[in-house]
Amino acid sequence: MSQNILVINSGSSSVKFSLFNMQQQIETASGLAERLGSDDAALTVKWPGDQTCQTLTDSAYGTVLKRIIAVLTEQQLLDSLPLVIGHRVVHGGEFFSDPVVITDGVLDRIRQCSPLAPLHNPANLAGIEALAALYPDIPQVAVFDTAFHQSLPAKAFLYAVPYKLYEEQKVRRYGFHGVSHQYVAAEAAARLGISEQHGIISAHLGNGCSACAVANGQSMDTTMGMTPLEGLVMGTRSGDVDPGLHQFLHQQKGWDVETVTDMLNKESGMLGLSGLSNDMRTLEAAASEGAARAQLALEVFCFRLARHIGGLATSLSRLDALVFTGGIGENSRFIRAQVVANLAIFGFALDPVLNAQDGDALGRISAPAGPQVIVVKTKEELMIAQAALALI
Ligand code: ADP
């Protein structure tokens, strides 16, 4: 029997999954059920060298998850039920600083965190509950996006609002992308030979973007806050704005809180600035052909990221390395070059040849002197699979 572990990320209208063979530490299949709840709901399952795409007539989580397991079995990617199922859960509030085996008590706490992540936690719960009903004998593990940042000191996690709001409503900064920051910082430290003592800043740049200051393996500060809207400029999310913007737009345009929040989440960031796209590849291509607003959007993205990295450095007593990860961090030579140029005051400098080849054998793209800059491919799903295996 193979050591198969299924990793699930259930969203409000999608379920992403990856199947790992842990003996070989490889992903054997992955896929996505998308547009759930609509007439064109579909399931795509990919494995090395092939894929299948099927329509879904029933979008209930239970039916979708059962179908995923059925396809994996039909394609002989699964020879028995998974040993354990690992779930990516967005918000663990102040309850969870590590992955946990899911019990009724854990479910209850995830439910209690739902007001902090109203789009994500209920969907994560629905996926867990559907699988528990289908396969009650398979243990399930929750791995939280917020958990790594539970080490943040109060000075970094408190907002300067009445303290009662923290005590009563748990209004505070939580941070996200924790699985990725924890992995890439540890990986960078290992590659650079500084696993014991280090000060590292990791920049996870995908559709969502966040950066994190890591001291000796612990998160000390991060750019996302109570929700994943705070911090860096992202694909469609604004990142930081003046909190007075809501009142101003209400007065000037009659927008209510939902309208402003929707605009900040879905119509802002690179899409809002460029008026063109949220996709970095598209914007880089447009900018190189002279599109002024795409150029401006790129400039804002890089400047704001560098500005946040400068701020994060104040949490560290030493600065050894900057790590780039996520679709943009791993692939965009242009963004890496601009961000590092904006950080020259910290002694960062790139080796343009190494940057053009996405790093040397270790992923390093920096000049020999000064703090290192390194590209590390994130492995969030594999980390969830490893955490799940470790717990059973
Ligand atoms: P998600 O956060 O959804 O997991 P990814 O980490 O895959 O997203 O990142 C998606 C982003 O990475 C997109 O903006 C995409 O344009 C960008 N990206 C991927 N490849 C490149 C590339 N070669 N150059 C620039 N940007 C890239």
Side-chain angles (χ1 to χ4, degrees):
M1 192 174 76
S2 313
Q3 257 189 7
N4 287 308
I5 297 190
L6 188 62
V7 173
I8 298 284
N9 182 356
S10 45
S12 52
S13 62
S14 70
V15 174
K16 282 189 205 151
F17 67 91
S18 300
L19 180 69
F20 289 92
N21 177 319
M22 298 309 282
Q23 272 133 345
Q24 295 168 34
Q25 295 273 311
I26 53 163
E27 188 184 70
T28 45
S30 64
L32 173 68
E34 57 190 330
R35 300 185 293 276
L36 298 180
S38 76
D39 290 342
D40 54 351
L43 168 65
T44 307
V45 181
K46 297 182 180 175
W47 60 95
D50 210 351
Q51 65 174 55
T52 169
C53 192
Q54 316 184 346
T55 53
L56 291 167
T57 46
D58 179 354
S59 286
Y61 283 103
T63 315
V64 172
L65 290 160
K66 206 169 167 181
R67 177 78 83 86
I68 290 171
I69 300 230
V71 173
L72 293 172
T73 308
E74 278 159 27
Q75 298 300 334
Q76 298 177 341
L77 298 159
L78 257 183
D79 56 5
S80 56
L81 286 176
L83 208 55
V84 52
I85 298 170
H87 289 267
R88 179 176 190 157
V89 179
V90 166
H91 222 303
E94 291 189 325
F95 294 122
F96 301 106
S97 48
D98 287 299
V100 283
V101 175
I102 297 172
T103 60
D104 286 346
V106 168
L107 282 178
D108 199 43
R109 289 182 156 186
I110 297 174
R111 209 168 286 119
Q112 285 179 50
C113 296
S114 286
L116 292 165
L119 295 179
H120 296 101
N121 272 31
N124 298 155
L125 278 166
I128 296 168
E129 287 174 330
L131 280 164
L134 284 169
Y135 309 106
D137 295 333
I138 306 180
Q140 301 196 69
V141 165
V143 180
F144 300 90
D145 257 355
T146 49
F148 179 54
H149 304 298
Q150 279 299 295
S151 52
L152 254 58
K155 67 179 179 185
F157 76 64
L158 284 174
Y159 291 114
V161 296
Y163 194 75
K164 241 182 176 5
L165 289 174
Y166 168 55
E167 290 177 313
E168 291 174 359
Q169 263 77 40
K170 295 291 167 207
V171 170
R172 53 159 285 178
R173 308 183 64 249
Y174 291 93
F176 300 86
H177 288 143
V179 179
S180 180
H181 289 300
Q182 182 170 18
Y183 167 71
V184 299
E187 180 66 19
R191 291 188 201 174
L192 298 172
I194 47 170
S195 289
E196 294 294 313
Q197 298 287 315
H198 54 251
I200 291 175
I201 294 176
S202 58
H204 177 109
L205 311 175
N207 283 309
C209 299
S210 72
C212 178
V214 181
N216 312 331
Q218 293 222 304
S219 174
M220 303 308 290
D221 193 7
T222 188
T223 57
M224 283 179 170
M226 189 171 87
T227 74
L229 183 55
E230 188 178 335
L232 307 177
V233 175
M234 313 182 208
T236 62
R237 281 174 253 167
S238 61
D240 297 338
V241 292
D242 186 330
L245 183 64
H246 287 73
Q247 168 78 1
F248 178 83
L249 291 176
H250 175 63
Q251 282 172 346
Q252 298 295 313
K253 294 178 82 80
W255 290 359
D256 59 17
V257 174
E258 282 74 29
T259 308
V260 179
T261 306
D262 235 38
M263 177 273 290
L264 294 174
N265 273 301
K266 298 180 186 158
E267 296 163 30
S268 298
M270 299 304 279
L271 174 66
L273 278 171
S274 68
L276 196 64
S277 173
N278 62 315
D279 189 276
M280 197 57 88
R281 271 168 300 197
T282 308
L283 293 173
E284 283 187 28
S288 67
E289 284 161 16
R293 288 261 300 280
Q295 290 168 350
L296 184 65
L298 292 171
E299 205 180 336
V300 175
F301 181 91
C302 295
F303 171 70
R304 287 273 292 272
L305 173 54
R307 186 170 178 253
H308 269 284
I309 289 171
L312 289 170
T314 58
S315 288
L316 302 174
S317 55
R318 53 190 274 178
L319 182 51
D320 298 291
L322 169 63
V323 189
F324 282 103
T325 193
I328 298 168
E330 290 162 26
N331 297 297
S332 175
R333 295 153 191 181
F334 174 82
I335 296 289
R336 292 193 303 248
Q338 298 306 305
V339 173
V340 172
N342 279 325
L343 291 167
I345 190 154
F346 292 96
F348 284 110
L350 274 198
D351 179 323
V353 175
L354 290 180
N355 189 38
Q357 63 193 47
D358 296 330
D360 63 8
L362 296 176
R364 282 179 304 202
I365 56 172
S366 42
Q372 299 288 289
V373 186
I374 181 165
V375 179
V376 177
K377 186 171 163 39
T378 194
K379 292 185 179 167
E380 289 165 291
E381 282 75 22
L382 179 62
M383 291 304 105
I384 294 172
Q386 285 180 350
L389 182 61
L391 278 177
I392 57 157

